[in-house]
């Protein structure tokens, strides 16, 4: 707890315990996830908050606009070893933090990078069965990001080639989080029925993909400005455009058609996320709200993005309003216990807003493909 009397900033920072630092840092690096993580309690709260900060750390490295891709790959691969191998971490964490001085980003993100040892100290205090869910997810995320950075072409927009590429990228940056959360929930819910477990396993990855594709759809301009395009080249080519023509906006009509294709896929994943959420016991209010809040915000965002030319205007930020966020936070606790009311609320948001015929998600095919990617052999000279 922060003291109720003023202290010199440096002195107070030195006295702040590691958990307090993590709790206070979370809303500084993500206001959205700070909201839903705050509803959790106990060990699950501690574990998920810590895991999110790890994800934010590797995301900061990946997003560094001025950092050479080869350096990103090196930092990402080393971080995967830091979390997988405690002995390696003991010998190399300080050096890794020193190398991160080259990373650019927001002051809060860079402070988190610099204070990563605090996060590891909290992580080391977690139960072994929780650490066992976090380690492979974060390590796989870092390695997956490194893999896609190895395909980055400096000086020109680098697009993903196909829808399969998009799914693979989204798996590494978000699908693995869905898997991790699913497995952490299982630790808390040992008596959960096998039917519910299967439903959650089948939809956990899709939940992550839905949230990530929503972000990709609304961040097209920002991603373009740092040299990357997450809109697959195959979707752009289907509409008779080149990647450069898409990003220069030569045909607003075709651009919107391309984005509708992505929103259609996103819509399918968000429906899967609802299935995941409804499989949680109705008595687990906190777990349900933890899932509902980012899901409802994503669905609202997709509805706003649908057929919206402002999305491709670099001077505009297309996002849901604070009033909408407040309504979600205040309204969903009244219906969280009812599967029927949640379905009605969800469908009222998405109804007639996006294309209905979302393609079926092939989870088995995706998992087969990602298992073939040689993640442990990636290096900065690839």
């Amino acid at each position: 707890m922060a003291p109720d009397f003023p202290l010199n900033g440096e002195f107070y920072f030195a006295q702040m315990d590691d958990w307090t630092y993590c709790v206070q840092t979370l809303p500084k690096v993500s206001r959205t996830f700070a909201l839903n993580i705050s509803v959790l309690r106990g060990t699950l709260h501690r574990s998920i908050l810590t895991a999110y900060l790890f994800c934010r750390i590797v995301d900061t490295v990946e997003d560094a606009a001025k950092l050479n891709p080869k350096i990103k790959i090196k930092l990402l691969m080393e971080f995967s070893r830091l979390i997988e191998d405690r002995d390696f971490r003991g010998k190399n964490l300080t050096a890794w933090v020193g190398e991160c001085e080259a990373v650019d980003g927001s002051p809060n993100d860079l402070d988190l990078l610099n204070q990563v040892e605090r996060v590891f100290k909290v992580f080391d205090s977690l139960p072994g069965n929780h650490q066992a869910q976090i380690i492979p997810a974060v390590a796989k995320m870092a390695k997956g990001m490194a893999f896609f950075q190895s395909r980055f072409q400096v000086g020109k927009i680098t697009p993903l080639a196909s829808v399969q590429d998009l799914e693979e990228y989204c798996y590494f940056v978000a699908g693995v989080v869905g898997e991790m959360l699913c497995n952490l929930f299982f630790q808390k819910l040992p008596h959960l029925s096998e039917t519910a477990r299967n439903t959650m396993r089948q939809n956990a990855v899709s939940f992550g993909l839905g949230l990530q594709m929503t972000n990709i759809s609304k961040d097209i301009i920002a991603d373009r400005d740092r040299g990357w395009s997450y809109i697959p080249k195959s979707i752009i080519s289907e509409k008779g455009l080149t990647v450069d023509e898409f990003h220069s906006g030569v045909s607003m009509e075709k651009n919107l058609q391309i984005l509708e294709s992505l929103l259609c896929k996103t819509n399918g994943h968000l429906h899967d996320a609802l299935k995941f959420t409804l499989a949680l016991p109705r008595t687990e209010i906190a777990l349900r709200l933890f899932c509902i809040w980012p899901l409802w915000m994503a669905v609202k965002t997709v509805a706003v993005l649908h057929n919206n030319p402002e999305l491709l205007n670099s001077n505009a930020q297309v996002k849901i309003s604070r009033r909408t966020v407040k309504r979600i936070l205040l309204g969903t606790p009244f219906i969280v216990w009812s599967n029927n009311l949640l379905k009605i609320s969800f469908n009222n948001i998405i109804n007639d807003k996006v294309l209905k015929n979302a393609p079926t998600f092939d989870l088995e095919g995706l998992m087969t493909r990602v298992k073939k990617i040689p993640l442990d052999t990636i290096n900065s000279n690839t």
Side-chain angles (χ1 to χ4, degrees):
M1 295 292 289
D4 55 5
F5 52 87
L7 284 173
N8 173 276
E10 291 184 2
F11 177 77
Y12 173 55
F13 186 81
Q15 297 300 310
M16 187 191 306
D17 66 61
D18 299 319
W19 173 240
T20 301
Y21 172 80
C22 291
V23 171
Q24 293 185 358
T25 296
L26 177 62
K28 296 177 183 179
V29 297
S30 176
R31 286 179 294 178
T32 299
F33 285 103
L35 291 172
N36 69 315
I37 291 175
S38 70
V39 304
L40 301 173
R41 294 293 180 268
T43 303
L44 192 63
H45 175 236
R46 201 174 180 93
S47 295
I48 290 178
L49 191 154
T50 304
Y52 178 79
L53 291 180
F54 281 145
C55 294
R56 187 67 195 174
I57 286 165
V58 296
D59 194 50
T60 297
V61 174
E62 187 205 25
D63 283 348
K66 301 175 183 178
L67 193 61
N68 186 295
K70 290 185 177 181
I71 299 176
K72 289 186 184 183
I73 293 168
K74 182 176 184 292
L75 290 174
L76 289 166
M77 292 303 291
E78 285 180 355
F79 191 83
S80 70
R81 285 196 66 188
L82 291 173
I83 196 167
E84 287 180 316
D85 186 338
R86 192 165 180 172
D87 290 337
F88 178 83
R89 189 202 318 160
K91 299 173 183 176
N92 295 279
L93 181 58
T94 301
W96 187 85
V97 172
E99 292 180 67
C100 285
E101 290 181 3
V103 177
D104 57 284
S106 74
N108 288 323
D109 285 329
L110 296 181
D111 178 71
L112 177 59
L113 271 182
N114 198 44
Q115 299 295 326
V116 63
E117 184 177 1
R118 289 177 174 263
V119 187
F120 271 116
K121 286 179 179 178
V122 175
F123 172 76
D124 288 337
S125 74
L126 299 175
N129 61 324
H130 282 227
Q131 292 186 25
Q133 316 311 322
I134 297 171
I135 290 171
V138 175
K140 197 182 296 183
M141 175 185 289
K143 293 173 184 177
M145 287 178 175
F147 170 73
F148 278 93
Q149 283 296 318
S150 70
R151 300 164 58 177
F152 190 89
Q153 299 174 26
V154 180
K156 57 186 286 189
I157 292 177
T158 305
L160 294 172
S162 64
V163 172
Q164 289 186 337
D165 270 355
L166 174 63
E167 288 182 344
E168 290 163 18
Y169 173 76
C170 289
Y171 170 75
F172 287 120
V173 299
V176 295
V177 177
E179 291 177 321
M180 177 191 71
L181 293 173
C182 183
N183 291 329
L184 285 171
F185 289 171
F186 288 167
Q187 308 306 308
K188 178 176 171 56
L189 304 171
H191 304 297
L192 190 65
S193 72
E194 196 58 34
T195 298
R197 287 173 182 270
N198 287 335
T199 299
M200 292 174 67
R201 289 191 192 100
Q202 286 297 313
N203 293 287
V205 169
S206 198
F207 197 153
L209 267 61
L211 297 185
Q212 184 62 28
M213 287 186 183
T214 301
N215 287 335
I216 286 173
S217 297
K218 71 181 181 65
D219 292 338
I220 289 172
I221 299 300
D223 291 330
R224 181 200 66 189
D225 290 345
R226 62 190 183 93
W228 192 263
S229 173
Y230 296 103
I231 311 299
K233 184 177 180 180
S234 61
I235 295 180
I236 296 173
S237 300
E238 285 173 4
K239 301 302 179 183
L241 297 179
T242 66
V243 173
D244 289 339
E245 287 172 337
F246 170 76
H247 285 285
S248 63
V250 297
S251 172
M252 182 61 71
E253 180 182 357
K254 288 185 177 180
N255 276 14
L256 288 175
Q257 291 173 4
I258 290 166
L259 293 175
E260 286 298 288
S261 298
L262 181 59
L263 291 177
C264 184
K265 287 187 67 64
T266 305
N267 180 23
H269 289 303
L270 296 179
H271 275 84
D272 288 344
L274 180 64
K275 296 175 188 174
F276 177 95
T277 304
L278 298 183
L280 290 165
R282 293 189 299 167
T283 53
E284 294 292 339
I285 302 299
L287 295 189
R288 282 189 162 213
L289 288 176
F290 172 84
C291 296
I292 287 169
W293 286 351
L295 174 54
W296 258 237
M297 290 178 200
V299 176
K300 287 279 190 180
T301 301
V302 168
V304 171
L305 296 177
H306 168 61
N307 204 30
N308 189 342
E310 289 299 306
L311 176 61
L312 299 168
N313 180 355
S314 60
N315 297 319
Q317 272 195 325
V318 180
K319 59 182 181 179
I320 60 177
S321 67
R322 291 186 179 182
R323 179 179 295 181
T324 297
V325 172
K326 187 174 181 179
R327 286 175 178 170
I328 291 171
L329 300 181
L330 294 178
T332 48
F334 292 100
I335 62 174
V336 64
W337 54 272
S338 169
N339 286 3
N340 286 334
L341 290 177
L342 288 173
K343 289 178 183 177
I344 291 170
S345 174
F346 183 93
N347 290 328
N348 282 343
I349 300 170
I350 210 74
N351 189 37
D352 296 328
K353 291 293 185 180
V354 295
L355 299 173
K356 292 294 181 181
N357 299 318
T360 301
F361 174 51
D362 181 11
L363 174 62
E364 184 177 346
L366 170 61
M367 299 311 295
T368 298
R369 296 197 308 273
V370 298
K371 287 177 181 176
K372 293 180 180 179
I373 297 175
L375 294 178
D376 290 317
T377 61
I378 298 166
N379 61 68
S380 57
N381 297 317
T382 300

